[in-house]
Structure formats: C-alpha cells, structure tokens
Amino acid sequence: MKPISLDAYEKIAASYDARAKTKPHNAYYDRPAVLSLLPKLEGKRVLDAGCGPGIYLEEILALGAIDPVGIDVSPTMLDYAKTRLGSKAVLHELNLENGIPIFEDGIFDVIICALVLDHIRNWEAIFREFFRVLAKGGILVFSVEHPSSDYRIRSGENYFSVKKTELEWRGFDEPVVVTSYRRPLQEMINPLIRAGFDLDEVLEPTPTDEFRKHDEAEYNHLSNSPGFLCFRAIKR
C-alpha cells in the first residue's frame, strides 16, 4: 500500500528542507520538547525513524551519538538528508507500515520518531518493531499531534475512532493537503504498553521564547492550548 502522506512530503520536500531548521512549530516547539526527553547520547546507537531531511540526525550527532541511522519513506527527503549529512549517518528508504525488518534485534539504544506516527495506521505493529530493535534499557521518544487539538480541528467526529483525515498545510512554499490518522489518547498509550514498553514520561510542550519572536499570535495560542504531545518509553 502506498504511504498515505508520501505525495505531500515529496511535494514540500525542498521547502521543508529549507525552512524546518527555523520554522517555529519545528524549531521552537517540537524539537526542543523531543530533545528534552532524550537521555545522554554519547556513544549511543540511535535510530531516527522518519528522519526527513536529516535535521534531527544533525542534532543527534552533535550530542555524541555514534553512526546514527535514519529511515524515511520519502526518497526526496532522503536526498536532502544525504546532502546535509554526507557519510555521517546511514540512511534507508523504508515504509514504517511494513516494519523495519532490515535491523537486527537489540541493535539500538535510542529511537526518535518525531511527528511521524500520525501517518501510520498500525501502531501495534510498529511499537512491537521498535521494542524488538531496542536493546534492554533502550529508550523510545516520539511526538504526535495532541488528540485534543486534532479533535477540535475536526469537531463533530467520533473522538474514540481511529480515522483517516486530511488537513491543508500552509507553512511551506505552497499549500499541500496532508493525510494522517486521528486517534484518541488510549489508542496511543495502550499499543505502547502492549508492545512491552514502560511509559516513562508524557510531555505536553509549550513553545519556547524564540517562537514568540516569529509568530506571537500562535505563541499565545500554543502557550494556552495543546498542539503536540510527546512520550518517552523504556524497554525494561
């Protein structure tokens, strides 16, 4: 099955690569929150699941990770990642809906999956795969759209269902309709627990002060209303 958001990400790849390092929702909201949940990465083996153009991989390298690995479903995004990182990271084109069978059991210490799982239907399967490839004591950190925020955008729908939805993104060079799955909180946490993870921390981030300099209205909104949701889980 073709990934539901592939065409959209292929369309915005150049603009995303150019803007995401300083785009407020990425640089001053999601990324600081996700990075705050990571353990020390010196000498750690890290997988960025849904690496896009490699911006998180740059951060991972700066924090001391060794031979980080990035996977993404978008070949154009991976081209930008290759340009950004050169030989500093190993990159693979993979669809997370099909698992990550190219990796051996227990090969990673940390997995980062930032704003990717909203585009994946089967969280039961991918969490089992993340659990499998993590070493004992390994840590999974991921961020998603907050179910409360997502539900308000599409008010009137059944909150308790897992439903494919579409939303027009306007933050890049041209508007693009992005397809994702909206799901309730229980459908985020329970598959994680059933895969064997211990839920260690949940973070409802607020924007950094730098965000305010770029978009004060959105800064005020996100300071008082949830937008993203971040989790840290451990393989005991």
Side-chain angles (χ1 to χ4, degrees):
M1 182 183 297
K2 185 177 182 179
I4 61 170
S5 55
L6 176 58
D7 289 343
Y9 276 99
E10 286 286 282
K11 184 176 181 179
I12 66 171
S15 179
Y16 190 97
D17 175 67
R19 297 187 181 192
K21 286 207 74 168
T22 57
K23 187 174 178 293
H25 284 84
N26 300 102
Y28 312 124
Y29 186 45
D30 175 65
R31 204 147 58 240
V34 169
L35 293 174
S36 76
L37 293 177
L38 293 177
K40 292 183 178 180
L41 296 184
E42 292 93 340
K44 301 292 187 183
R45 303 162 298 170
V46 183
L47 170 66
D48 184 355
C51 65
I55 296 170
Y56 266 104
L57 286 168
E58 276 191 322
E59 299 278 0
I60 292 165
L61 282 162
L63 292 170
I66 55 171
D67 301 323
V69 177
I71 57 177
D72 204 275
V73 73
S74 165
T76 306
M77 286 285 194
L78 286 171
D79 285 341
Y80 284 108
K82 290 173 186 174
T83 299
R84 173 170 277 110
L85 298 159
S87 61
K88 296 177 182 177
V90 178
L91 303 172
H92 300 279
E93 183 181 334
L94 283 175
N95 179 3
L96 289 177
E97 289 280 18
N98 299 326
I100 44 177
I102 66 171
F103 300 124
E104 298 175 4
D105 295 358
I107 197 172
F108 297 110
D109 301 302
V110 179
I111 297 175
I112 298 172
C113 191
L115 300 179
V116 173
L117 292 174
D118 291 313
H119 308 291
I120 304 298
R121 177 63 179 85
N122 189 347
W123 282 24
E124 300 274 358
I126 193 56
F127 282 152
R128 287 196 300 268
E129 279 288 84
F130 286 163
F131 189 87
R132 178 183 66 80
V133 302
L134 278 171
K136 186 175 181 180
I139 292 176
L140 167 65
V141 174
F142 65 97
S143 61
V144 292
E145 291 278 350
H146 197 290
S148 174
S149 171
D150 216 22
Y151 181 63
R152 284 199 306 273
I153 291 171
R154 303 172 178 87
S155 59
E157 293 184 359
N158 179 2
Y159 167 80
F160 296 101
S161 66
V162 177
K163 185 175 182 180
K164 186 186 292 186
T165 61
E166 293 183 342
L167 186 66
E168 186 176 69
W169 289 5
R170 295 179 173 270
F172 298 97
D173 287 341
E174 57 182 311
V176 62
V177 175
V178 179
T179 306
S180 61
Y181 292 100
R182 185 204 54 73
R183 70 192 72 223
L185 183 61
Q186 65 185 3
E187 293 299 333
M188 297 179 175
I189 294 176
N190 290 336
L192 187 70
I193 294 170
R194 286 194 288 267
F197 283 102
D198 286 353
L199 181 60
D200 186 57
E201 187 167 348
V202 176
L203 175 62
E204 295 174 296
T206 53
T208 66
D209 290 341
E210 187 67 24
F211 195 117
R212 188 173 195 166
K213 300 176 185 178
H214 295 265
D215 189 337
E216 185 167 4
E218 185 66 2
Y219 170 88
N220 291 333
H221 170 70
L222 291 173
S223 295
N224 294 279
S225 182
F228 294 163
L229 184 59
C230 306
F231 298 86
R232 181 172 64 208
I234 301 176
K235 178 178 179 177
R236 298 294 187 186

